[in-house]
Amino acid sequence: MTTVALLGNPNTGKTTLFNELTDKYAYVGNWTGVTVEKKMGKIKHSEIEVVDLPGVYSLSPITKDEAVVTNYLLTNRPDLVLNVTNASQLKRNLLLSIEVLEFGAPVIIALNMIDDLKRTGHYYDFDTLTEQLGCQVKATNARNKEGLDDLRTALLQGPQPTGKKLQLTYPFMIEQAIRQASQQLVSDFDLTADFARWLTIQFINQNKSIRAYAKHMQLTPLMSQAAYYDAQKFDDQIFQTRLTFIEQTLNQASENIASTSHIQMTAKIDKWITHPLLGLPVFVGIFFLMFKLSFDWVGTPMSDLLDGFLSGPVSTTASHLLTAAGAIPILRSLVVNGLIAGVGGVLVFIPQIFVLFACISLLEDSGYMARAALVTDRIMQMIGLNGKAFIPLIIGFGCNVTGIMAARTIEQPKERLITTLISPFMSCSARLPIYSLFVAAFFPRNQALIVLSIYFLGIAVALGMAKIYQILFNVKDSSVFIVELPQYHLPRLDIIWRGTWDKGKGFIKKAGTIIFAGTVLIWLLSSFGTSGLVSDIDNSFAAMLGKGLLPLFAPLGITTWQVISALFTGILAKEVISSSMMVMFHTANQTGLIAMMARYFTPLSAYATLVFILLYVPCFATIGTIKSETGSTKWALYSVVSSLAIAYGLALIIYQVGSLFI
């Protein structure tokens, strides 16, 4: 099978191009770290396999995701490399292209975002680029599907002769070192000439992965000269040689064609969006608008309609059908009061969740999210981190698991650990159903404001803990934050829909698996006790658990055991909390549950409970991810204990202090 390796710098539209070529959707974002593993697909109507590798600036890896690319090239020999570049940022992008071309495999360079290049008033002569780079060069605009047919045809045809392969001539001493080492590698280790030369250049350039590979393979022609290469500072000379070649090539190929009105418009918008003082209020305002759409204007009215349908016609029809079929009472109770009430009680929040995800996808596709990272970088620097650490936190709004995995892009181990430990404090989408219940019951006029305060409280706690960890871990070194600000785009509806569906489908899958299982579990716990099947839920196992812990939760304003038992199921998955409450309060719809909650909560105790739910023990999936990413059970257990302590302490302070003024 023919294999095409797809690689390039972050923010070149590489993943979008992968989706269009393979007809397989993968997550798209405007920052480094979204693609942390290689993804695979086949070009439409062919047997050509495409491997989507993480976005990197160089083959010299600093982070885990960058190491994926270099290790892939070391252990695989792709038939073709598709190098995706940002057409308007070629001077920087071609630094990676040169490393790829020196690898020796056939290469096609895609100048993506060609429309952005044209808006700058510049263009390139493709014949000149092809001649200088020694490979095919294609113009594409993946967002608008321009140039994709030509690129797909080139991929299907395979490598085409373009003349002489690229082989830069480095300074005399470096060339001599390359020639001597590569010749020995060819003769002593049976390597190809191209691969031997590439290995030598990367080794001289202090590529850590290559040096580890050379040590493992005992490549003595390289290992024996390492000290000499480093002492001569050959890596600086290699960089300067490549940069000079790129500048000369682009000067020869450059053409002027038009005005720069779009660039000027982007600069004017950024003057306000990324302003040192105004940038943060704009960020907060945008998120407030998102929550107004999700909870006040669009999401909640749609959720109310869905709730009426599930708790009315669906529940009634199921009950009649089971009765007509002669089902025993306990089976009817399981289906109607357990599954339909529990799972349905979670599904009614799908509109709110999908509206929120649609807003996030819109911000990503427009180009704003990169600006958000830049704006928050100033805050992150105050606590010893930077905007790169905030990117996993933003991703954590969707799911803490993917947010923690995105922390792989952080170079410094201590910074990466800190980001992993604070990520569970970010309010993931799984908590939205329980937020919706509480704000609808106790804050009907300020739903968006209350949810926004919860989200930003999670951010504040995360940043505060990050500062504490920075002091405790004695963090001195910090990562370099590089963010590319793409030009603004009019969002495409298909991309917004794909992004919304990709983020939201996990919630629906959970409803059919984890939430289903959790609902059955809580129904069993609330229907059985020490004496077997119970008619009074107060005698059930769930009641025994909740009542036993009631004195511990009373200082938080939680005065009913049903809520405490539901919080335990939230460790399985946060979405299960609302379905568990539906089952244990014996309500068939959201309206009935809200009425029951009004008996046991005040607005103050409700808010304290929301704070506790925001911060307490992460779900099982998040705990497992912390263990796998840190390689330590100790940190996973620490995350459980510390988050529980922080949640309890903060909820206690809010309720007790608030009680003094009410």
Side-chain angles (χ1 to χ4, degrees):
M1 180 182 293
T2 302
T3 302
V4 176
L6 180 63
L7 59 85
N9 284 188
N11 296 315
T12 57
K14 181 174 63 66
T15 306
T16 304
L17 193 62
F18 171 81
N19 297 333
E20 296 294 345
L21 289 173
T22 63
D23 200 19
K24 175 182 177 181
Y25 180 71
Y27 183 85
V28 179
N30 287 315
W31 54 77
T32 310
V34 175
T35 310
V36 293
E37 300 286 353
K38 62 181 180 183
K39 296 181 175 67
M40 306 179 74
K42 288 184 179 179
I43 295 179
K44 300 173 186 177
H45 313 300
S46 79
E47 291 300 313
I48 297 178
E49 186 176 68
V50 181
V51 181
D52 181 23
L53 295 165
V56 295
Y57 291 103
S58 167
L59 293 183
S60 296
I62 299 176
T63 64
K64 289 184 178 181
D65 59 326
E66 291 178 347
V68 169
V69 178
T70 306
N71 290 333
Y72 175 83
L73 294 177
L74 283 172
T75 55
N76 298 269
R77 185 72 181 183
D79 300 290
L80 183 65
V81 176
L82 176 56
N83 176 211
V84 185
T85 64
N86 182 337
S88 59
Q89 302 288 341
L90 273 187
K91 183 175 179 179
R92 182 180 66 252
N93 285 194
L94 287 180
L95 286 169
L96 174 64
S97 302
I98 289 175
E99 292 188 87
V100 174
L101 288 164
E102 289 179 334
F103 177 67
V107 176
I108 295 177
I109 295 180
L111 268 59
N112 198 29
M113 304 181 185
I114 198 69
D115 55 328
D116 288 348
L117 174 66
K118 292 177 181 178
R119 292 190 187 104
T120 66
H122 296 88
Y123 203 68
Y124 293 109
D125 179 72
F126 279 57
D127 291 336
T128 302
L129 290 178
T130 298
E131 180 183 353
Q132 293 294 317
L133 296 173
C135 68
Q136 295 183 72
V137 180
K138 301 292 181 180
T140 60
N141 180 9
R143 283 177 47 81
N144 295 329
K145 303 182 180 181
E146 297 176 5
L148 296 186
D149 290 339
D150 186 33
L151 178 60
R152 188 180 293 108
T153 300
L155 293 173
L156 293 174
Q157 290 177 346
Q160 300 295 314
T162 57
K164 188 177 180 182
K165 283 186 177 181
L166 175 72
Q167 182 170 311
L168 297 187
T169 302
Y170 294 101
F172 176 76
M173 295 295 291
I174 298 179
E175 278 294 334
Q176 187 178 40
I178 293 172
R179 184 171 58 256
Q180 291 175 350
S182 58
Q183 286 177 351
Q184 291 183 50
L185 290 173
V186 171
S187 60
D188 297 346
F189 295 89
D190 198 27
L191 302 181
T192 64
D194 286 340
F195 187 57
R197 180 179 173 84
W198 178 77
L199 272 180
T200 305
I201 295 173
Q202 291 292 323
F203 188 94
I204 293 174
N205 206 32
Q206 299 186 22
N207 185 320
K208 293 180 180 179
S209 288
I210 297 298
R211 293 202 169 186
Y213 175 82
K215 183 178 181 180
H216 175 71
M217 300 299 293
Q218 298 183 350
L219 303 180
T220 51
L222 297 177
M223 298 301 299
S224 62
Q225 298 297 317
Y228 168 70
Y229 298 151
D230 295 347
Q232 297 297 319
K233 296 185 178 180
F234 283 161
D235 55 322
D236 291 337
Q237 297 178 55
I238 289 175
F239 173 79
Q240 288 300 326
T241 301
R242 290 171 174 170
L243 189 61
T244 299
F245 169 78
I246 291 171
E247 291 174 343
Q248 292 174 349
T249 298
L250 296 183
N251 285 336
Q252 292 178 30
S254 182
E255 298 176 352
N256 293 323
I257 58 171
S259 66
T260 60
S261 58
H262 189 77
I263 300 296
Q264 293 171 351
M265 183 189 71
T266 295
K268 288 179 180 179
I269 296 175
D270 280 344
K271 183 178 179 181
W272 299 98
I273 294 293
T274 62
H275 190 276
L277 297 179
L278 298 177
L280 191 58
V282 169
F283 175 78
V284 174
I286 288 174
F287 269 72
F288 177 69
L289 181 61
M290 283 171 44
F291 291 126
K292 289 293 286 184
L293 286 168
S294 301
F295 292 93
D296 288 344
W297 298 337
V298 179
T300 296
M302 293 175 65
S303 290
D304 291 341
L305 291 174
L306 184 58
D307 180 44
F309 174 71
L310 291 175
S311 62
V314 172
S315 181
T316 303
T317 302
S319 180
H320 288 331
L321 289 175
L322 289 170
T323 301
I328 59 176
I330 190 172
L331 179 59
R332 291 202 307 271
S333 174
L334 171 61
V335 174
V336 178
N337 299 325
L339 299 181
I340 296 178
V343 177
V346 175
L347 291 178
V348 297
F349 300 108
I350 285 177
Q352 293 168 327
I353 292 172
F354 270 67
V355 170
L356 182 62
F357 284 157
C359 292
I360 293 175
S361 296
L362 187 149
L363 294 178
E364 291 173 349
D365 194 43
S366 67
Y368 174 74
M369 277 302 192
R371 275 84 180 172
L374 179 64
V375 168
T376 55
D377 178 56
R378 301 182 182 98
I379 299 176
M380 301 298 286
Q381 286 180 357
M382 295 171 59
I383 61 171
L385 299 176
N386 59 36
K388 181 174 284 191
F390 196 75
I391 290 169
L393 303 186
I394 294 177
I395 295 174
F397 284 149
C399 177
N400 291 156
V401 171
T402 53
I404 291 170
M405 292 176 68
R408 296 173 181 176
T409 62
I410 300 173
E411 298 94 335
Q412 300 298 331
K414 289 182 179 179
E415 280 191 51
R416 189 162 58 245
L417 175 60
I418 291 174
T419 306
T420 298
L421 293 177
I422 66 176
S423 289
F425 296 128
M426 307 306 290
S427 186
C428 67
S429 61
R431 298 172 172 94
L432 282 176
I434 195 67
Y435 294 167
S436 299
L437 274 177
F438 276 85
V439 297
F442 302 101
F443 312 101
R445 296 182 179 179
N446 299 290
Q447 294 188 50
L449 187 61
I450 294 299
V451 175
L452 181 68
S453 71
I454 292 293
Y455 268 72
F456 277 89
L457 178 62
I459 294 173
V461 171
L463 299 185
M465 291 304 300
K467 186 62 178 179
I468 293 173
Y469 290 140
Q470 186 209 16
I471 296 172
L472 292 177
F473 297 165
N474 192 27
V475 178
K476 295 180 180 179
D477 298 327
S478 61
S479 303
V480 177
F481 179 49
I482 301 174
V483 62
E484 190 172 325
L485 298 182
Q487 295 183 33
Y488 289 106
H489 300 104
L490 286 175
R492 274 176 45 189
L493 291 178
D494 61 329
I495 291 180
I496 293 174
W497 163 245
R498 284 178 172 181
T500 303
W501 173 247
D502 190 63
K503 298 179 182 74
K505 67 183 179 181
F507 182 83
I508 297 176
K509 287 181 179 179
K510 281 187 177 181
T513 54
I514 296 176
I515 298 174
F516 179 90
T519 300
V520 172
L521 174 63
I522 202 64
W523 178 85
L524 290 171
L525 291 175
S526 60
S527 299
F528 290 86
T530 54
S531 59
L533 182 65
V534 296
S535 57
D536 186 355
I537 194 172
D538 285 338
N539 298 321
S540 66
F541 289 121
M544 293 170 58
L545 174 64
K547 290 176 180 178
L549 294 172
L550 195 56
L552 184 63
F553 282 86
L556 308 184
I558 300 176
T559 59
T560 176
W561 64 263
Q562 287 93 337
V563 176
I564 299 172
S565 296
L567 290 175
F568 269 89
T569 63
I571 301 175
L572 180 68
K574 293 296 183 286
E575 301 97 329
V576 183
I577 295 176
S578 54
S579 62
S580 299
M581 291 177 64
M582 297 281 284
V583 172
M584 286 187 287
F585 278 117
H586 287 300
T587 58
N589 55 41
Q590 183 178 341
T591 304
L593 180 56
I594 289 174
M596 292 295 295
M597 291 167 60
R599 299 182 186 179
Y600 301 104
F601 287 97
T602 64
L604 177 60
S605 63
Y607 191 82
T609 303
L610 286 178
V611 171
F612 184 82
I613 292 171
L614 165 71
L615 302 172
Y616 88 117
V617 182
C619 67
F620 281 156
T622 302
I623 295 170
T625 304
I626 293 173
K627 180 182 181 298
S628 63
E629 292 298 306
T630 61
S632 170
T633 303
K634 175 188 69 174
W635 288 119
L637 294 175
Y638 170 79
S639 179
V640 171
V641 175
S642 62
S643 59
L644 184 59
I646 293 169
Y648 188 90
L650 192 54
L652 179 67
I653 292 172
I654 289 174
Y655 182 72
Q656 294 298 328
V657 173
S659 298
L660 299 177
F661 298 96
I662 297 177

